Each structure stands twice: as C-alpha cells, then as structure tokens.
Amino acid sequence: MNIPARYCTGYLGDIGVPPVNAPMDFAGWFEAYLGGSWYTFDARNNIPRIGRVLIARGRDAADVAISTTFGPNTLESLRVWTEEVSPSGAYTCSAEHNMLHD
C-alpha cells in the first residue's frame, strides 16, 4: 500500500466525552498521510476525540518512550490535565511533573 504512517504517543484527555472515574493515562495512536494531509487514527478510542496532547512521533513505541530509566526508580508524582477553551482561544495544556526519583 505504501502509505506513510507514524506512531504517536501522548495524553488523551476527557474533553467532549462522558467523565470517567479513572485518571488520564498515556495514549498511543497513529497518523497516516493520505491525499496530501496527515490524519489521526486511534484503534483504542475509535471515535473522534479532541484534547490530544502529543508528546512525540516516531516509527514505533520504542522510538518515543515517555521515559527510559536504568536501575531502580520510583514514580513520585505525575499529573496531567487538559482544559477546553473557547473556539477563539488557543489550545492550552497544563502539566505538573515530578517524575522519577532514585
């Protein structure tokens, strides 16, 4: 088929979908280049979604690891949230990271 594609990793907020009681989690999706534009496809959440926070793009998940550690580590804290803004405003994302400590 020879369709250019790339793996994407990031966060997927809960904007525009019914709230869930689980915290937001990392997400993976892919983009394919069709007809001169990149289009997003998400097999896990197979409905249109807004509020994707892209962290990285690559050939596969190994290219875009959110964190790579060596030796023992403890995740102390990680909070990410998305907020919907009016159509006239720019998309915003806030994040707080205290990720890994020895």
Side-chain angles (χ1 to χ4, degrees):
M1 297 174 93
N2 203 23
I3 298 172
R6 56 193 181 193
Y7 178 85
C8 303
T9 190
Y11 301 101
L12 184 57
D14 57 2
I15 298 171
V17 296
V20 295
N21 290 333
M24 183 171 38
D25 198 0
F26 299 122
W29 60 91
F30 75 95
E31 296 173 338
Y33 192 75
L34 303 168
S37 297
W38 288 98
Y39 292 90
T40 299
F41 296 90
D42 186 342
R44 180 178 177 202
N45 302 287
N46 195 19
I47 57 172
R49 297 281 295 265
I50 58 174
R52 290 180 193 275
V53 180
L54 178 68
I55 293 177
R57 290 183 177 115
R59 295 170 296 181
D60 56 29
D63 273 355
V64 295
I66 291 174
S67 68
T68 301
T69 64
F70 300 94
N73 290 278
T74 302
L75 180 62
E76 293 283 329
S77 174
L78 174 67
R79 292 190 308 171
V80 177
W81 59 95
T82 57
E83 298 174 347
E84 187 172 7
V85 296
S86 67
S88 62
Y91 176 79
T92 60
C93 172
S94 301
E96 176 180 314
H97 291 272
N98 289 325
M99 283 199 63
L100 299 173
H101 296 279
D102 294 329

